[in-house]
Amino acid sequence: MNIRVTESPSHYRNLEQQDIDTLISWINQEDQKVALKIKEALPQLSKLIGVIVEKLKTGGRLFYVGAGSGGRLSVLDVIELPNTFGIPKGKVNVILAGGVEHLVEAKEEREDDTKEGWANLREAGISPADVVVGIAASGTTPFVLEALKACRNHGITTGCIVSNPESPIAEQADYPVEVVTGPEFITGSTRMKSGSAQKMIFDMISTTTMICLGRVEDNSMVNMALINDKAVDRAVRMLIDKSNIADYGEAKRILLQNGSVRKALDALASSETSSVDFTPEL
């Protein structure tokens, strides 16, 4: 790779001599650039999401393969999907350098392992029905790079999210997404703008994919899991808004009986249909 923008010197100097107001103002100035850089990559991102939707619709799975801040951020996005959208666990997955079970330990020394990523994918039963997306701000992380190489050699569709142009990882991706956010506020600290871009992109991928898979109705999470009192209250109010039920207690009873807003609405529609008198004409 010829250009390592993520390692370029910060535009800011003598940070230790600045006051708090100056520091947070400068960080905010840099953060404002992130969304605009993502906008430039929207055509690439649209193509990647399109293939993810296609794979999931036909029974495949999505695997993120990542390390460092980007890998950890992908874990945070993925663990919320079953509760938010009601999808089965295992439909969207993360292969993290060092293992998801060691998420809080940040085992970044495992980024250099060239075999673990593909070995973990094989253990998960990866196949051409699935899609694998590599995550690495640098675009060079061996853990991710070698996993994508192996995927391509086995006919598995690949994508990536990187923060440098013309990177080795992008070369191994059928659907690369390159969001070049520029030098970091602290030189090389890709947990900052690069990490912010990755978080926003994960939100866009998961939310758009779930909408395309029918897990959202209008603008509502009708398939969300009823995991706590707040979620139940939100779902009850959603059911009231989308049905003819006016009584909160009755809506809650029907909701809990069926397990989700979507299932409750289906049950109500079925009940209304079956109650119609279909007296044949003589």
Side-chain angles (χ1 to χ4, degrees), residues 50-51 54 73 81 84 95-96 117 124 132 148 152 162 172 184 220 226 234 236 256 278:
V51 76
E54 179 185 346
L73 287 168
L81 301 185
T84 304
I95 303 297
L96 181 68
V132 176
L148 289 195
R152 295 194 82 179
V162 296
Q172 296 299 321
E184 294 288 1
S220 301
L226 308 178
R234 178 187 295 149
V236 171
L256 296 177
F278 290 106

Side-chain angles (χ1 to χ4, degrees), residues 22-184:
T22 299
L23 290 171
I24 61 176
S25 175
W26 284 354
I27 293 172
N28 179 248
Q29 286 177 31
E30 289 301 301
D31 286 344
Q32 291 179 50
K33 300 175 183 178
V34 174
L36 295 177
K37 289 299 181 180
I38 293 175
K39 183 178 180 180
E40 294 176 8
L42 287 181
Q44 290 182 326
L45 185 56
S46 177
K47 292 177 182 177
L48 176 60
I49 294 174
V51 76
I52 290 171
V53 170
E54 179 185 346
K55 291 289 186 180
L56 268 59
K57 276 186 175 180
T58 54
R61 297 167 294 169
L62 166 61
F63 285 85
Y64 288 118
V65 176
S69 297
R72 290 189 287 276
L73 287 168
S74 71
V75 174
L76 299 181
D77 187 68
V78 168
I79 61 176
E80 293 183 349
L81 301 185
N83 287 342
T84 304
F85 299 106
I87 66 166
K89 291 182 179 179
K91 197 70 172 173
V92 183
N93 311 273
V94 179
I95 303 297
L96 181 68
V100 173
E101 66 275 14
H102 298 297
L103 175 68
V104 298
E105 298 177 43
K107 290 182 172 289
E108 297 193 6
E109 67 275 10
R110 302 290 284 275
E111 292 183 11
D112 296 330
D113 192 310
T114 59
K115 298 180 181 179
E116 182 183 0
W118 174 242
N120 289 343
L121 285 169
R122 288 186 63 187
E123 186 177 342
I126 194 73
S127 80
D130 305 317
V131 56
V132 176
V133 178
I135 306 152
S138 68
T140 62
T141 305
F143 179 88
V144 179
L145 177 60
E146 296 304 319
L148 289 195
K149 284 182 180 179
C151 285
R152 295 194 82 179
N153 289 338
H154 288 80
I156 297 163
T157 302
T158 57
C160 74
I161 301 166
V162 296
S163 299
N164 280 317
E166 302 176 9
S167 69
I169 285 176
E171 289 180 5
Q172 296 299 321
D174 302 311
Y175 298 91
V177 177
E178 299 170 297
V179 181
V180 184
T181 49
E184 294 288 1

